[in-house]
Amino acid sequence: MCHRKTLLSILCVAIAALPTSALLAGEPIEYAKQLAAPDDGRFRASPIPGLEEAYLSPLFPSSHAANLLLLKSGDLLCVWFSGTWEGQSDVGILLSRLPKGSKQWSKPRLVDHHIGESYQNPVLFQAPNGTIWLIHTTQAAEQGQANAKVLVAKSDDGGDHWTTPSVLFDQAGAFVRQRLLVMPNHDWMLPMYFTPSKGITTGAESNYSVVKISSDQGAQWKTCAVPQSNGLVQPDVVRLSDGTYMMFFRSRFADYIYKSVSKDGCIWTAPQKTPLPNNNSSIQVATLTNGHLVIAFNNVGSVVSRGKPQAGPRKPLSVAISEDGGNSWPWVRDLETGKLRAGELSAESVKKNEPGREEYSYPSIIQGSDHKVYVAYTYRRFTVKAVRFDENWIKEGTTVGTFRGGSKE
């Protein structure tokens, strides 16, 4: 298991031997200098009024794909994958904790890693009995996603110690990104997707989404198909106030966010496009205690009609509110526009697969025990940035993105 000293020592040696692309001028990356902000994981007032921000302390050169979980205790956990670069052998899963009422995230620590494998897309779930599940993908290093499978590790002490990971789903190309739901009948619902293609563009029209449902606390799972979901991935499900389930999708075609609905969580309608654009990058939706939906997404698309799978820019990063169950999104506000702050490292000299590029992506959004909205996301692949704000903060701002609000379907 990764928290053992022997494996940590191996990983430290691997990180110390990183290629020069992971270093700047032959020296370890000085993250606070590159970010022009403290990288100590402490919430501070943002230059944007009404917003607090924290840069979680980086351990390794590249970080991506954060996911948040609110524990029954009121603490927030954040997980993401980190290493030299996505897909490489030294990429493992990191975890940080924000205690209830605190401004300070804990120093991240490595909780899962295996030499020769590359871990991605961690998801956290606290079962009704209190056990925390850490679910994530694994794939042979530098081999792409086509043969990925899904692992699970568990913690019975709030995330301090974890079991050795075991295989949860071994069908080739199995992938997760979004959170589990506990249904009113106590069944568990896990949205997931399959990636027969190695990457996110060439051949990615073959990717498709499903829902897994378990009636025995995750021991066995049945598969519910999502019709006509080819090219639509990373399904994210919320339960509306009327009991209906709504699923939102990332589009490999970089056109729009799509949605599907279900009355029972297993029989789904064919996905239909929403007015929200998508750039073939991750989104996430959450239901607030007042029933409103909040969504975090890159407010940009590449096309207005489907063609071949493609990718778009990963900025701006925006949040929006729906008060009518996802039918309209009247208010949109940017978290990141891509404009660098004074002193921040320019991306002009950054190579394709190294940290520092202009990317603000893979948001995770949730409401905390203090009723504030929290968003954690990839910040230029340097680290994970966390922000928090009141719901009304969204209504008090604007966007430079494609979608400007409104558009009732």
Side-chain angles (χ1 to χ4, degrees):
M1 185 55 195
C2 58
H3 58 263
R4 293 176 183 168
K5 292 182 179 179
T6 53
L7 187 50
L8 281 175
S9 298
I10 293 172
L11 184 59
C12 289
V13 170
I15 293 297
L18 290 174
T20 55
S21 64
L23 305 174
L24 296 177
E27 298 294 333
I29 298 174
E30 298 178 38
Y31 288 97
K33 181 177 180 180
Q34 311 311 327
L35 301 168
D39 62 347
D40 58 2
R42 185 169 183 80
F43 274 116
R44 295 177 173 87
S46 164
I48 304 172
L51 187 73
E52 289 184 280
E53 62 182 19
Y55 296 85
L56 277 61
S57 302
L59 291 186
F60 309 128
S62 176
S63 295
H64 192 40
N67 242 319
L68 295 167
L69 173 68
L70 178 64
L71 297 179
K72 296 176 181 180
S73 66
D75 291 0
L76 272 177
L77 296 183
C78 184
V79 286
W80 63 99
F81 68 79
S82 186
T84 305
W85 192 259
E86 179 176 354
Q88 297 190 19
S89 179
D90 60 9
V91 175
I93 306 299
L94 301 189
L95 180 146
S96 180
R97 179 188 302 269
L98 180 70
K100 182 180 179 181
S102 177
K103 287 181 172 289
Q104 181 67 58
W105 290 91
S106 67
K107 183 178 179 180
R109 59 190 181 88
L110 185 71
V111 297
D112 209 352
H113 176 258
H114 185 75
I115 296 294
E117 297 286 309
S118 187
Y119 287 174
Q120 290 183 218
N121 291 15
V123 176
L124 289 170
F125 168 65
Q126 188 167 29
N129 68 357
T131 298
I132 301 173
W133 290 45
L134 170 60
I135 301 171
H136 62 79
T137 64
T138 183
Q139 59 202 49
E142 301 184 46
Q143 296 299 310
Q145 301 176 356
N147 291 310
K149 56 188 176 184
V150 176
L151 303 181
V152 61
K154 300 176 185 179
S155 172
D156 288 320
D157 60 5
D160 290 336
H161 300 88
W162 297 88
T163 62
T164 300
S166 59
V167 176
L168 187 62
F169 302 111
D170 61 2
Q171 181 179 337
F175 245 80
V176 292
R177 163 60 186 160
Q178 308 292 6
R179 296 179 284 236
L180 287 86
L181 285 78
V182 178
M183 304 169 71
N185 65 356
H186 306 296
D187 286 356
W188 296 1
M189 179 196 298
L190 172 61
M192 59 183 297
Y193 62 110
F194 289 89
T195 60
S197 62
K198 288 188 175 181
I200 68 170
T201 53
T202 303
E205 65 273 14
S206 64
N207 299 182
Y208 63 95
S209 291
V210 302
V211 167
K212 295 282 190 177
I213 294 181
S214 175
S215 299
D216 55 9
Q217 294 74 55
Q220 301 179 78
W221 299 83
K222 71 174 182 178
T223 302
C224 300
V226 180
Q228 300 177 42
S229 65
N230 279 37
L232 302 178
V233 296
Q234 297 183 346
D236 190 16
V237 179
V238 292
R239 187 171 182 266
L240 304 180
S241 56
D242 65 359
T244 301
Y245 295 98
M246 185 169 288
M247 181 186 293
F248 295 87
F249 304 84
R250 165 184 178 171
S251 172
R252 293 294 195 208
F253 306 103
D255 54 348
Y256 293 96
I257 295 171
Y258 284 72
K259 72 177 183 181
S260 174
V261 296
S262 173
K263 292 185 181 295
D264 66 356
C266 191
I267 300 175
W268 293 88
T269 62
Q272 301 294 320
K273 67 180 181 181
T274 74
L276 303 173
N278 187 247
N279 58 338
N280 191 4
S281 187
S282 189
I283 64 168
Q284 197 169 97
V285 187
T287 304
L288 304 181
T289 54
N290 60 11
H292 299 167
L293 299 182
V294 288
I295 187 169
F297 67 110
N298 285 119
N299 193 2
V300 61
S302 296
V303 296
V304 296
S305 60
R306 287 193 186 191
K308 293 183 178 180
Q310 58 183 294
R314 293 186 170 184
K315 60 179 183 179
L317 180 66
S318 308
V319 285
I321 302 174
S322 175
E323 295 182 350
D324 58 6
N327 290 316
S328 64
W329 302 86
W331 303 281
V332 187
R333 186 168 187 177
D334 293 334
L335 295 173
E336 303 284 353
T337 62
K339 183 178 180 180
L340 302 183
R341 66 180 75 200
E344 193 171 357
L345 175 71
S346 170
E348 293 178 359
S349 61
V350 175
K351 297 179 181 179
K352 181 180 178 181
N353 290 338
E354 65 181 30
R357 68 188 191 186
E358 292 285 340
E359 175 180 350
Y360 314 92
S361 67
Y362 268 67
S364 181
I365 189 166
I366 200 168
Q367 189 171 32
S369 58
D370 55 3
H371 301 292
K372 290 183 179 294
V373 178
Y374 287 74
V375 185
Y377 53 93
T378 299
Y379 191 86
R380 302 185 64 188
R381 296 284 179 127
F382 278 136
T383 189
V384 168
K385 181 177 179 178
V387 296
R388 63 184 181 185
F389 49 86
D390 293 324
E391 177 188 355
N392 283 337
W393 179 86
I394 302 175
K395 298 180 180 181
E396 296 166 355
T398 58
T399 178
V400 300
T402 304
F403 179 73
R404 300 303 178 92
S407 300
K408 184 158 185 169
E409 296 172 66

